[in-house]
Amino acid sequence: MPSRPVRIVGVGSCLGAPIFGPAAGPRALRDLGFENSLRQRGIRAHWQALLEPSAPKPPRPSMNERLGTVSNLLHDLADIVAQTCDDDALPLVLGGDHIVGAGTWRGVARALAPRGKLGLIWIDAHLDAHTPQTTHTGNIHGMPLAALLGIGDETLTGLPGPHLDPAHVTIIGARSWEPEELKLLQKLGVKIFFMPEVKTRGLAAVLCDAMSIVRNGTAGFGVSVDLDAMDCAKLPATTCLVPDGIDPQELVDALHGLRNCADLAGLEIVEYVPERDRDGSGARWVLEIASAALGPTTAQLRHREEAFGARNYAPLPVVFTRGEGAWLWDVEGRRYLDMMSAYSAVSFGHSHPRLVKALTEQAGRLALTSRAYSNDRLPLMLERLSALLGYDRALPVNTGVEAVETAIKAARKWAHKIKGVPDGQAEIIVCANNFHGRTTTVIGFSSEAQYRDGFGPFGAGFRTIPFGDADALEAAITPHTAAFLFEPIQGEGGINIPPAGWLARCAAICSKHNVLLIADEVQTGLGRTGKLLACEHDGVRPDGVILGKALGGGLLPVSAFLANDALMQVFKPGDHGSTFGGNPLAAAVATEALALLADEKLAERSARLGAAFLARLQAIKNPLIVEVRGRGLLIGMELDTRRVNARTAAEWLLARGLMTKDTHDSVLRFAPPLIIEETTLMRAADVVEAALADLAQRLPGTTP
């Protein structure tokens, strides 16, 4: 079911405020393409009206004159909003000063009246409950909430429609008020969540309580956000700059929960002051607030993906919208601990500030030229990468499977041109249960039936041996053998760890028979297993190394094939290429990622935390668990598929806020960002233990 259409009503008014600034807010947002920005986020938005009453001219008019002018504006606004609701659309009011709230919510209440009452969440640094008799400043923008409750001058309280019931009104974030306001609201029974409580309990918990109050026994509820409720250090583009407010990101995260509320009747955002928005962050926060509350739900987005996307994935039932560090948030505002890291691509965590800075600065300077020309970032990245891993040269590409294909081409040409294998007869030995990507060449030597089904014919030139069997490797080598292509740990295969010393023996065998040893470290490389490369655990230095995933810092695809001149010399200009491979944007991010790896000692961190996490998981006693194995922060938990498949267990953990992924129906994969905190990692182990214990209790014939 599509979401309801949203109609935007701008009210460029400062009739009730002490400064003119907020009057310019709605027009500024419209001119910035606010409507189109909402549409790009899947919201069916339409700009309905822009009301811009004339500003009062000095000398300042009397209170009665100003009240009369404001009343006329509020009548017009209430009529537009009521009609919007009657048309089964959601009103989004972008206001100047907060007095517009007296019109917004009377209009909504009028439309809801045949079905019941309106509840209201008022997010504000102030209580806005003055009357002309109690105001200290004479500013009308301090009166809207009192007017909505039926208290104050008739020009404000006499708008058509019912007054709000104080029992269904809450205020969140109050931290600046006069005694008269507080006394009135407490007498009426309005629930106030003052800022100290918000900071102590967290905004999400407070908002949950507020929603219980405004939704209980009402036909719908609205949310009014005064931007001065925000921490003015993070959002200074507002009328009244009051310190120690709500973190705007925390508000955005919390408001995502409104998307699934069918009884949400309207949203109001007021007091954006463009002249104070020097970097444009204020306008972005207004957009984020509106998008959070009004955007499409998980079900709606998944339906669109299912309807318009090829069905080559079966994603777990969640839709993410934001990531920070080791955490992700879905479109309903729920937070999850990322224990997948996008198959190691997010080893540095989500949106690492240094990587984002490198990306944005380079994007603003130069992103792409193609390799027909040199750029000033690639040479620095190549030098750093080669020096870090001790290889003469690196060939940059985009995706991991591109790097695998590059390695295959290099090995074949080396065999034909250097080793003397007849042209077209070079062979490469691979391991069963491998995963090197999904191009037609690579799936041709996969042992996974689904990867091959229907995609043939496949090219010749590959031999498969059991993973971890050095004798099988030696037996498979012929005079035509060019290379042994392997994963030091089979990640997608189920976090399969080879026997101790296997790789060292394979290296000796390859050296003896003049066969290239090529390691696919796309998932295991750059610190994931507790060493810079997983091959280092056996003291092995391959002839060629394939890198990807983490090299792009979780921001964009960056991969590479590294080797010494003895192998890389086979490539001549025109032999191999990629338009985007080695682009300056990718090179800038990869260079910073390599610097981060060293500066934050992430390989060492992975070794330490991985050992502790592995021991903690291995200590779990549960009949569903067959084995827990891994190295560094790459760990697999094999489950008894006679009792439960890993997909079910992954969904069980997802429901508890922990992201993982099944592989081969039998293994849960744990590969968190390398920057994860140890306490967080140990809490994750507690979640795994509790979730699997609960799951075991629910399965017939299984007891923990």
Side-chain angles (χ1 to χ4, degrees):
M1 178 181 177
S3 55
R4 284 177 287 171
V6 172
R7 292 185 184 172
I8 307 169
V9 182
V11 190
S13 166
C14 67
L15 295 173
I19 66 171
F20 181 75
R27 177 176 288 275
L29 292 170
R30 190 192 67 173
D31 293 346
L32 286 169
F34 193 80
E35 174 187 344
N36 187 55
S37 295
L38 290 178
R39 287 179 172 273
Q40 289 177 346
R41 299 184 182 213
I43 300 168
R44 295 191 295 156
H46 170 68
W47 196 285
Q48 177 79 2
L50 178 58
L51 307 178
E52 291 184 306
S54 299
K57 297 179 174 57
R60 192 180 194 193
S62 67
M63 174 72 74
N64 287 338
E65 184 179 346
R66 283 184 286 126
L67 286 170
T69 305
V70 166
S71 180
N72 292 333
L73 172 66
L74 298 182
H75 272 83
D76 292 341
L77 174 58
D79 289 345
I80 294 172
V81 169
Q83 185 60 55
T84 297
C85 294
D86 289 340
D87 292 342
D88 198 28
L90 266 173
L92 169 58
V93 176
L94 302 176
D97 65 72
H98 212 171
I99 190 59
V100 303
T104 299
W105 303 112
R106 289 296 286 280
V108 176
R110 186 199 313 172
L112 288 184
R115 294 187 286 118
K117 297 178 179 179
L118 169 68
L120 181 61
I121 297 175
W122 194 266
I123 301 176
D124 200 336
H126 309 95
L127 299 180
D128 286 348
H130 273 302
T131 68
Q133 290 73 40
T134 64
T135 176
H136 291 203
T137 64
N139 293 320
I140 302 173
H141 79 151
M143 303 179 186
L145 191 53
L148 287 169
L149 297 170
I151 308 297
D153 192 90
E154 172 66 19
T155 54
L156 301 181
T157 63
L159 301 176
H163 296 125
L164 303 190
D165 183 344
H168 300 300
V169 175
T170 67
I171 301 173
I172 296 178
R175 60 191 189 278
S176 176
W177 61 84
E178 279 82 41
E180 296 90 340
E181 297 178 284
L182 181 59
K183 182 178 180 180
L184 173 63
L185 294 175
Q186 289 177 333
K187 178 181 178 181
L188 293 173
V190 172
K191 174 62 177 175
I192 305 172
F193 297 95
F194 296 101
M195 197 61 213
E197 181 177 358
V198 174
K199 286 188 176 293
T200 300
R201 297 179 55 207
L203 180 61
V206 167
L207 183 62
C208 183
D209 286 354
M211 290 178 66
S212 297
I213 294 170
V214 302
R215 300 177 78 187
N216 184 23
T218 60
F221 75 100
V223 177
S224 181
V225 180
D226 189 327
L227 296 181
D228 66 21
M230 304 301 106
D231 185 344
C232 62
K234 296 183 178 180
L235 202 163
T238 189
T239 307
C240 301
L241 304 178
V242 185
D244 301 322
I246 295 170
D247 185 324
Q249 185 61 66
E250 188 179 5
L251 176 65
V252 168
D253 290 339
L255 290 180
H256 274 87
L258 301 183
R259 295 186 179 201
N260 272 317
C261 298
D263 55 341
L264 177 65
L267 175 66
E268 179 179 65
I269 307 171
V270 302
E271 303 209 2
Y272 166 61
V273 180
E275 66 187 25
R276 292 180 174 175
D277 193 14
R278 296 182 178 179
D279 62 356
S281 61
R284 289 194 296 272
W285 281 122
V286 175
L287 176 63
E288 292 295 334
I289 290 168
S291 301
L294 305 177
T297 65
T298 294
Q300 291 163 347
L301 289 165
R302 283 173 62 83
H303 173 74
R304 292 185 189 185
E305 185 173 347
E306 179 74 12
F308 300 110
R311 298 177 181 178
N312 58 317
Y313 275 93
L316 290 165
V318 64
V319 177
F320 292 115
T321 186
R322 187 173 81 85
E324 182 180 333
W327 299 95
L328 284 161
W329 284 260
D330 72 9
V331 294
E332 267 88 35
R334 292 180 289 263
R335 189 178 77 156
Y336 300 78
L337 180 62
D338 186 355
M339 297 295 288
M340 267 293 294
S341 300
Y343 300 98
S344 296
V346 190
S347 285
F348 302 99
H350 296 276
S351 303
H352 194 293
R354 281 177 56 177
L355 295 174
V356 171
K357 184 173 183 286
L359 176 75
T360 53
E361 287 183 353
Q362 186 61 39
R365 184 183 301 116
L366 178 66
L368 179 65
T369 61
S370 89
R371 290 298 302 281
Y373 314 94
S374 296
N375 66 77
D376 64 344
R377 299 313 304 261
L378 179 59
L380 305 180
M381 188 273 277
L382 294 175
E383 181 181 26
R384 181 156 199 154
L385 184 59
S386 297
L388 179 68
L389 297 178
Y391 289 93
D392 294 336
R393 301 185 184 277
L395 194 160
V397 291
N398 303 293
T399 65
V401 73
E402 279 186 78
V404 172
E405 291 271 6
T406 302
I408 290 171
K409 289 176 70 174
R412 284 173 169 173
K413 191 164 187 180
W414 174 86
H416 297 143
K417 301 298 183 181
I418 307 298
K419 186 173 179 178
V421 175
D423 192 41
Q425 296 184 36
E427 294 180 342
I428 294 175
I429 298 172
V430 297
C431 293
N433 211 34
N434 69 74
F435 183 80
H436 296 287
R438 287 193 174 96
T439 61
T440 51
T441 297
V442 171
I443 62 172
F445 58 80
S446 173
S447 55
E448 183 70 23
Q450 182 185 0
Y451 295 166
R452 297 168 57 88
D453 184 27
F455 297 115
F458 302 113
F462 297 95
R463 288 190 169 201
T464 302
I465 63 170
F467 180 68
D469 188 338
D471 291 335
L473 170 64
E474 187 152 31
I477 292 175
T478 73
H480 292 168
T481 302
F484 174 41
L485 172 64
F486 69 97
E487 300 160 273
I489 297 173
Q490 291 186 329
E492 191 66 15
I495 319 298
N496 298 321
I497 311 293
W502 168 75
L503 185 51
R505 188 166 172 223
C506 287
I509 291 169
C510 287
S511 177
K512 172 184 173 184
H513 294 281
N514 194 24
V515 169
L516 298 172
L517 185 70
I518 299 179
D520 180 347
E521 295 249 18
V522 169
Q523 294 191 33
T524 55
L526 301 182
R528 170 57 56 185
T529 68
K531 298 282 189 181
L532 192 60
L533 296 176
C535 291
E536 294 177 12
H537 290 284
D538 261 16
V540 169
R541 184 180 181 279
D543 297 296
V545 170
I546 301 164
L547 289 181
K549 303 292 187 188
L551 191 57
L555 298 180
L556 72 174
V558 186
S559 300
F561 173 58
L562 293 93
N564 284 341
D565 281 328
L567 173 54
M568 204 70 86
Q569 65 175 313
V570 301
F571 285 122
K572 307 299 181 188
D575 278 359
H576 192 61
S578 167
T579 299
F580 279 84
N583 67 79
L585 189 61
V589 171
T591 300
E592 188 64 19
L594 295 173
L596 266 177
L597 183 68
D599 293 348
E600 300 189 4
K601 301 186 184 306
L602 293 181
E604 297 87 341
R605 182 182 180 83
S606 177
R608 178 174 57 83
L609 294 184
F613 189 54
L614 179 63
R616 175 69 179 84
L617 293 179
Q618 289 175 333
I620 297 174
K621 305 300 181 184
N622 189 299
L624 301 180
I625 300 174
V626 174
E627 182 187 18
V628 181
R629 55 183 178 263
R631 187 165 285 162
L633 285 174
L634 180 60
I635 295 172
M637 176 180 283
E638 185 173 348
L639 302 180
D640 185 346
T641 54
R642 297 170 302 175
R643 295 170 169 172
V644 65
N645 62 59
R647 169 80 182 208
T648 298
E651 292 183 357
W652 208 253
L653 289 169
L654 187 70
R656 287 156 177 77
L658 195 150
M659 281 173 55
T660 182
K661 183 69 172 66
D662 59 292
T663 181
H664 285 261
D665 295 324
S666 60
V667 177
L668 287 174
R669 180 189 187 107
F670 299 104
L674 306 186
I675 51 87
I676 192 170
E677 295 293 333
E678 184 171 5
T679 53
T680 302
L681 195 59
M682 292 302 109
R683 283 198 296 269
D686 294 340
V687 172
V688 173
E689 182 172 28
L692 292 184
D694 186 29
L695 186 57
Q697 287 181 337
R698 295 169 185 266
L699 295 173
T702 303
T703 55

